[in-house]
Amino acid sequence: PPGFVQSSCHSRIFWMKLNKLLLQGKFFQLEINDPYAGPVLLDEKLASRCGYVLSEDVWGNPVFRASVLGCHVANEADELFSLIVNIKVSSFSSMRAAVTYTYPMYCSYSSWASREIVCEENYMEVSVKTDVPAVSNDYTVAWMSALPEIQNVAYQQWQLMFVSPSGRKRITVSDAAKLGYSFNNTLSRVYLRAPYHSNESDVSVVSGVNMNMVTSTSMYRQRWLLLLIDTTVSCPVDGISFTDTTITWTVPSLVPTLVVQESTFLSKNILMGVDGQVIVNPEEKNYLLEHNKTHIGITIPIGAEGGKLKSSISGGVYGVIYSIDLFLEHTWTDADWQTTKYTVIKSITTPFMPQVPTVINNTLPEERLFNVAFGHFLPDVSLVAIAIGNVPFTLREAQHHTFKIYEAPFSNRTKGFILEVSFDDPYVLKEYVNRNETKYTLLINYTISVGAEMTLYYHSAEVECVIADIELPEAVGSCDEENLYLAIPTFGLHQYWNLYLGNKLLNRRVAVTNGYLPATNSTHLILQIPLFAVGVIYEEVSFQKIKARFDVALRKVRTMETLQTFSVTCSFNSSTFIICHPDGTIMVSAQMKTVPAIDMSKTKLRDNSCKPREYNEGHAFFKFHVTTCGTSVKFEGDHIIYENEISYEKETLSGQSIATITRDPDYRLTVLCYYRAKETLVLGAFASNPSTSPPFGSGTMVPRSNLAAYRRVRQALNVFSRVSKDESFVEFYEPNMAIFKRPGETVFLEVELKDKSLHAELYLEHCWVTGSPDLNSTPSWNITVDG
């Protein structure tokens, strides 16, 4: 087929390359067409003995090379050479139903050097002109050891003498062929082809390079002629070194076994080539060709033009391998051989070089878009699947989900895979951080196919971006005569942050328990906080004036870090209050509830020296500590109760009548402060309400007066009341006796004024029933109101 075969002749070697694309999914074999015996299947043994090489170039194309002195090459006067190759292609490994393509190759080569040595991948070949002098004047040990054997050389037959550390071996050409050697002569030349590491070979180190050497003498005897030809050959078997960035191939400049008279050695020309092509100016391709008296060195940057980088996986690690096909041609002269052309063909492949893929974060915060580049990869790598947030997607599914994935070229002929994902995608993790920022995290798992083998490789990455896209809420405070108010935006509540009252989470249950009235609308939470509710802080307390503050902390949901405190502060005019401070200070503003009025400056606590700090006609303000002024303490359940009493002792006048005359009514007010026994911090004070028992320092004032406390008289009158059993008012209940009545049942009450004063009249204004002797206790039930 067109484009299937490319062939050429480089120096004295046939080159043929097959197009791998036309061999995909197929099997092939090569046959060498012997002019006398017909097609011969090419195998490894035949290849090394006959001067053939079957390999691949760095691109994977099959390559066939053959020496012009090969076994089946037609030779015309050592100048024109031809070889016919059969290429058999089949769809089956058994090669049945194969199609055969016959391909002739031609090569013209006449510029033979006196000696030419070829170091191929699988054989070493030396050819010499037969008209050169047989023996040098400087006899070597090998030559001297061969001389006693000449008497035994068969008449008109070539024989070979091998000299190795194990001794001498003289064999016929046919026996040598059985050992893998090939010896023959042409019109003007004799050649020997030897495999590497044969039993007759030896390894020596020349200038740090291991050389495989076969020391041999070819002998021919005819009549008066005895022909001895040195067919020694030596080729490098290593000399390759690697760094992270370069390959260096080193070959000795002078091989002592090939140059007997070293003083006459003169290097004439050094050429290098890549893939069979001579590189005239190596520096233009960043190759470095250098030489000195001992070495010839070729340095190739890894990834340089002419070679190939290939992706690979080793031990679950991604990496690359670089291969390049080099050859070196060194021409020199010396006194013995005149000119020697020394050619070495070397295919070099680096060890596996791990290259951890790079994840480049090109995220665009202003566009709220992740842009992640994943590379650098060679062209033989493809992206086959991706997982976002541990959710797998094929590339088609990813595109359908609005993920954007595309390839982008990078430097050095590499590429990368670009992934774009919106911050708002549900598979992106979001975390509230710092004060007003969100950390967006994109978890990625890449699945790529590597190389022609399509080996799967997995790589995970985590990309983060933190942006300030959260607006912290701002609260608005206000007050009325009895309450403080805080309006707090509900955005982000419970998602990013919570409200805390001290160290306690402020939820609806706590708010209701503390006496707050929470309300919400579409944008705000509105808290109504009574003046004496839990959590209110009293900054200033004076006579008839309270400066109160209420604080709510805004804390992160996860870390409990306080971001800011919402606060509202107001001043209130309050005539009556009791405040129990956490430090044990009690402040009381007591209102006069007597008729007629008393002198509030003469009120006192249990300790007569504890007088009011401030007062006026209707109020007295006391401030004292629970450890002073005669304050008593007792324990009740889980509470500590501190108690004192505000009192005013009335003044009496002695008269001649039985009745007692007083100018002032009796005034006593019990002050109680409740503290939880296990609490170490009190958050505020509570209203004086005897029906509740708040959890923190709360206070109440209990007035204790007799039945005449609210009468509009200045004289203590003799008033008597009792309850009749029925409407006849004949039988009455005993005093201090419990009376049980159903709701709505009639109560027959009799009130009698026993004073005989002509100026006294009895009016029944307000009558009620309580569950205890305390007239102000609750619950209570009205019997009469306003008479």
Side-chain angles (χ1 to χ4, degrees), residues 722 724-732:
R722 55 184 179 173
S724 174
K725 294 183 178 181
D726 53 30
E727 59 186 2
S728 64
F729 290 91
V730 175
E731 295 184 20
F732 295 89

Side-chain angles (χ1 to χ4, degrees), residues 551-579:
D551 296 335
V552 173
L554 187 72
R555 292 186 179 182
K556 291 183 180 179
V557 171
R558 294 185 59 184
T559 65
M560 297 283 291
E561 176 189 352
T562 299
L563 299 174
Q564 61 186 34
T565 300
F566 301 136
S567 182
V568 55
T569 303
C570 294
S571 296
F572 295 87
N573 294 321
S574 181
S575 59
T576 304
F577 58 83
I578 176 171
I579 297 175

Side-chain angles (χ1 to χ4, degrees), residues 274 278-288 300-301 304-306:
V274 174
V278 174
I279 306 299
V280 179
N281 297 308
E283 62 279 359
E284 293 181 358
K285 297 182 180 296
N286 293 321
Y287 304 152
L288 178 62
I300 307 294
E305 181 183 351

Side-chain angles (χ1 to χ4, degrees), residues 556-633:
K556 291 183 180 179
V557 171
R558 294 185 59 184
T559 65
M560 297 283 291
E561 176 189 352
T562 299
L563 299 174
Q564 61 186 34
T565 300
F566 301 136
S567 182
V568 55
T569 303
C570 294
S571 296
F572 295 87
N573 294 321
S574 181
S575 59
T576 304
F577 58 83
I578 176 171
I579 297 175
C580 305
H581 276 272
D583 62 358
T585 300
I586 299 176
M587 298 180 183
V588 182
S589 178
Q591 182 181 12
M592 181 190 70
K593 291 187 179 180
T594 61
V595 179
I598 61 174
D599 185 356
M600 297 302 286
S601 67
K602 296 181 179 180
T603 56
K604 62 181 180 61
L605 298 176
R606 286 176 180 170
D607 185 339
N608 293 335
S609 64
C610 294
K611 299 292 185 179
R613 297 283 185 97
E614 298 178 71
Y615 59 86
N616 60 17
E617 293 181 355
H619 297 80
F621 176 69
F622 292 86
K623 180 179 180 180
F624 60 97
H625 195 267
V626 295
T627 59
T628 62
C629 296
T631 304
S632 61
V633 60

Side-chain angles (χ1 to χ4, degrees), residues 246-544:
T246 61
I247 298 171
T248 299
W249 179 27
T250 302
V251 176
S253 296
L254 186 151
V255 181
T257 56
L258 301 180
V259 181
V260 177
Q261 302 182 65
E262 295 184 17
S263 61
T264 64
F265 172 84
L266 179 62
S267 178
K268 301 295 289 184
N269 188 35
I270 299 175
L271 294 175
M272 70 163 289
V274 174
D275 197 23
Q277 301 292 328
V278 174
I279 306 299
V280 179
N281 297 308
E283 62 279 359
E284 293 181 358
K285 297 182 180 296
N286 293 321
Y287 304 152
L288 178 62
L289 175 61
E290 53 187 354
H291 61 91
N292 53 35
K293 292 181 179 180
T294 60
H295 294 87
I296 300 172
I298 298 176
T299 300
I300 307 294
I302 291 177
E305 181 183 351
K308 181 186 179 184
L309 278 168
K310 173 187 174 183
S311 299
S312 182
I313 301 294
S314 177
V317 177
Y318 173 80
V320 297
I321 296 171
Y322 179 71
S323 301
I324 189 168
D325 294 332
L326 298 176
F327 76 83
L328 173 70
E329 185 177 283
H330 183 199
T331 303
W332 73 78
T333 61
D334 63 82
D336 294 313
W337 289 101
Q338 296 180 11
T339 303
T340 297
K341 183 183 289 186
Y342 187 81
T343 303
V344 185
I345 299 174
K346 194 75 171 179
S347 293
I348 302 175
T349 298
T350 66
F352 174 79
M353 297 177 288
Q355 290 191 353
V356 178
T358 303
V359 176
I360 305 171
N361 185 4
N362 296 321
T363 295
L364 306 171
E366 63 279 4
E367 298 182 17
R368 299 181 60 81
L369 184 70
F370 281 111
N371 183 294
V372 183
F374 181 47
H376 296 64
F377 294 110
L378 299 176
D380 59 358
V381 172
S382 59
L383 181 66
V384 296
I386 197 168
I388 303 296
N390 297 322
V391 178
F393 295 91
T394 65
L395 296 188
R396 182 183 296 273
E397 290 170 341
Q399 299 284 5
H400 182 72
H401 186 74
T402 70
F403 299 145
K404 189 175 181 181
I405 303 174
Y406 55 94
E407 289 188 5
F410 288 170
S411 60
N412 298 325
R413 302 190 302 275
T414 61
K415 67 178 181 179
F417 305 105
I418 311 300
L419 171 66
E420 293 183 357
V421 180
S422 170
F423 285 2
D424 302 313
D425 190 275
Y427 294 108
V428 173
L429 302 180
K430 304 168 183 65
E431 180 185 359
Y432 171 56
V433 296
N434 303 324
R435 287 183 58 83
N436 61 336
E437 296 175 328
T438 303
K439 181 172 74 174
Y440 296 92
T441 303
L442 182 64
L443 301 178
I444 315 170
N445 287 287
Y446 296 94
T447 302
I448 61 175
S449 175
V450 178
E453 300 82 5
M454 302 180 69
T455 305
L456 294 183
Y457 171 74
Y458 307 93
H459 187 87
S460 61
E462 180 175 326
V463 182
E464 296 179 351
C465 184
V466 178
I467 59 174
D469 59 353
I470 295 178
E471 184 178 352
L472 288 178
E474 295 292 337
V476 177
S478 61
C479 297
D480 59 19
E481 293 181 355
E482 298 178 349
N483 303 280
L484 299 94
Y485 297 88
L486 266 180
I488 304 170
T490 54
F491 169 77
L493 276 181
H494 313 306
Q495 179 185 2
Y496 301 132
W497 44 68
N498 281 320
L499 298 176
Y500 276 80
L501 185 64
N503 289 324
K504 181 178 290 187
L505 177 66
L506 181 57
N507 52 31
R508 178 169 290 274
R509 181 182 61 81
V510 172
V512 172
T513 301
N514 290 351
Y516 310 154
L517 296 177
T520 57
N521 56 27
S522 60
T523 59
H524 285 76
L525 165 67
I526 302 170
L527 280 177
Q528 177 182 334
I529 306 101
L531 173 60
F532 296 104
V534 175
V536 177
I537 300 169
Y538 305 99
E539 295 181 338
E540 296 179 16
V541 179
S542 61
F543 189 48
Q544 291 186 331

